[in-house]
Amino acid sequence: MDVPNQVQRDIDAITRIAAVPKILEVITRTTGLRFAAVARVTDSRWIACAVRDEVAFGLQAGGELELRTTICDEIRQHRQPVVFGHASTNPEFAEHHTPRLYGLESYISVPIHRASGAFFGTLCAIDPLPSRVEAPETLQMMELFAELIGEQLESDERYALSQAALHTALDVAKLRERFINEVSDDLKEPIQALVMDAYLIKTTPGLDADTRERVAAMEANLWRMAALVGGIADFAHDKLVPVAPLVRTPAATLAAELQRVLSQVVSAYPQRVLVTAVRIDADVDCDPARLGQLLVNLALNVLRHVVADAAVSIEATTTAGSLILAVEAPGLVLSDEDLGRVADTSAAPGGPTRGPRAWDFFIAGEIACAHAGRLAVTPTPGGSRLAFAMPLQAMHPTARATLASA
């Protein structure tokens, strides 16, 4: 069943092939036939998609012929070319209804197939005068042009489908981003309220040690939830980009930001042994807030992966050419492979810690790439050291993009 919109799409598809007008011109000049066309042929219709008319045949792109009056209907069925240069002397076509109806003496038409093999239509040329169109090289030329048109049709269709799929994916991504953003915003207020409530309970006089410890644990978990929600919101807003805008940040400013976030970590984990050190002696090209987020992410993940009584060291320092943010703890079992691990390798039931997940270090990894830095794990006596290192001066954007994609 033919659909008008589909017919127009077929015409448009041929129109978009820039080489078609030139192909029709070459056909008319080479064969001497003064009318050439690309036709869409179905089981019920013959529609001209592109036309070169030098004999005033009266047919334009979008025009139709009655299918049963054309030889193209026969070509659609047997899928073979038809060629004759003098119909009135040709035993097969002297009495054929098409040459007689349209006054044709010369005719050549070859089928156009998509690359998939599906029949599309024909590439044809006609003239009311006899010609030498039956030469083998003429048919070879026509078949080559038809093959090129068919392959281009298939290529354009695949491109259109991929573009449609891309737009669909983008629409879905926008909806997902909106959903994540709204959920993140909805979660922030209750989390903040719970953090305040936990703080008020923790500071209430007369609490027994067990209750105070439980409230402190609740507060720590709420801080973790807040950090995770913030990371999800950042990701939804597309803020964690491979190449972030970095600004020259004075040593004192960066040190103050890192000290501030570490104070929050210490406050959230009063029962843990945390040793912090911030020694920033050089200006750094960076986003201070993001580096603070990275340091907190590393610290919280290490705290989750070691036993409760382990002493955790957190430091931020500068060397001659680098900024280093590092977290170290005894009993920390971590490797470089864990930083990019996809699967969740949970610890056995009853174990003190669980294995790292891909999401644990995803945010830190994105921030690291944005600063042209790297996360790495090095073994220490009895544990591991998780560190981020980046250059003090920003790299050229091209170099940073190359490093980020490596």
Side-chain angles (χ1 to χ4, degrees), residues 276-403:
T276 65
V278 177
R279 297 183 296 274
I280 306 297
D281 300 320
D283 298 345
V284 183
D285 292 343
C286 67
D287 182 336
R290 290 285 175 241
L291 289 185
Q293 186 179 7
L294 182 149
L295 184 57
V296 170
N297 182 275
L298 297 185
L300 294 182
N301 275 299
V302 169
L303 287 169
R304 295 169 65 188
H305 296 142
V306 297
V307 295
D309 59 353
V312 178
S313 298
I314 309 172
E315 65 173 352
T317 60
T318 53
T319 64
S322 300
L323 168 71
I324 299 174
L325 308 179
V327 184
E328 183 176 337
L332 176 63
V333 180
L334 200 61
S335 67
D336 283 332
E337 289 79 8
D338 291 325
L339 299 181
R341 183 173 298 175
V342 175
D344 182 354
T345 54
S346 300
T353 63
R354 61 160 178 77
R357 304 169 304 179
W359 179 254
D360 290 346
F361 299 105
F362 175 78
I363 294 175
E366 291 294 295
I367 297 174
C369 287
H371 286 75
R374 293 187 182 276
L375 296 174
V377 177
T378 54
T380 62
S384 299
R385 183 173 186 263
L386 175 60
F388 159 75
M390 64 166 283
L392 296 179
Q393 294 185 346
M395 301 172 63
H396 187 275
T398 302
R400 289 173 56 207
T402 301
L403 180 61

Side-chain angles (χ1 to χ4, degrees), residues 142-157:
M142 293 286 290
E143 289 179 327
L144 175 60
F145 284 151
E147 182 179 351
L148 291 174
I149 293 172
E151 290 181 352
Q152 189 62 49
L153 283 170
E154 191 78 9
S155 176
D156 289 349
E157 184 174 320

Side-chain angles (χ1 to χ4, degrees), residues 46-71:
W46 187 104
I47 309 102
C49 297
V51 171
R52 182 177 178 84
D53 187 358
E54 299 175 2
V55 292
F57 190 75
L59 195 64
Q60 298 179 347
E64 294 194 40
L65 297 177
E66 174 63 36
L67 179 65
R68 290 175 298 177
T69 67
T70 69
I71 299 177

Side-chain angles (χ1 to χ4, degrees), residues 201-216:
I201 295 172
K202 184 177 68 174
T203 56
T204 300
L207 284 183
D208 60 84
D210 183 62
T211 302
R212 192 178 300 279
E213 183 177 345
R214 289 177 179 272
V215 174

Side-chain angles (χ1 to χ4, degrees), residues 202 219 223 255-270 274 276-278 292 295-296 299 314:
K202 184 177 68 174
E219 187 179 29
W223 277 111
E257 174 63 19
L258 297 179
Q259 189 64 63
R260 182 186 69 83
V261 298
L262 286 180
S263 297
Q264 291 181 347
V265 175
V266 172
S267 175
Y269 289 86
L274 301 177
T276 65
V278 177
L295 184 57
V296 170
I314 309 172

